[in-house]
């Protein structure tokens, strides 16, 4: 088993549910990362990036 693993908060999942899933797999959260999600749109011949959400990732370390 790997000592570290990334856990992504799924679309229909709360942060608490993701943390519980980590715990069930034997991992403890050590770091939280958030990344904005963008969508490319064309407006007036220009490409713009519109924020549409965020992706939350927890880095888990195996519990000993």
């Amino acid at each position: 088993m790997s000592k570290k693993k990334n856990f992504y908060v799924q679309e229909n999942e709360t942060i608490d549910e993701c943390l519980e899933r980590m715990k069930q797999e034997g991992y403890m959260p050590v770091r939280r990362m958030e990344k904005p999600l963008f969508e490319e749109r064309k407006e007036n011949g220009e490409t713009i990036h519109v924020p549409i959400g965020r992706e939350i990732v927890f880095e888990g370390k195996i519990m000993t």
Side-chain angles (χ1 to χ4, degrees):
M1 199 183 313
S2 172
K3 289 185 184 225
K4 284 187 181 180
K5 182 176 175 183
N6 287 337
F7 291 85
Y8 292 81
V9 177
Q10 303 299 315
E11 208 171 299
N12 297 318
E13 181 180 48
T14 66
I15 290 173
D16 285 339
E17 289 170 338
C18 180
L19 293 173
E20 184 60 32
R21 186 165 43 93
M22 288 177 75
K23 189 176 169 185
Q24 288 175 358
E25 288 188 36
Y27 288 85
M28 168 181 73
V30 290
R31 190 166 133 199
R32 174 184 166 151
M33 299 167 277
E34 285 190 37
K35 297 182 215 170
L37 298 176
F38 293 96
E39 178 179 87
E40 277 190 11
R41 291 193 188 150
K42 295 246 185 218
E43 281 187 20
N44 303 326
E46 254 183 72
T47 301
I48 61 169
H49 294 86
V50 180
I52 58 167
R54 65 183 174 167
E55 177 179 72
I56 301 172
V57 183
F58 287 97
E59 185 178 290
K61 188 173 106 178
I62 198 148
M63 289 189 270
T64 52

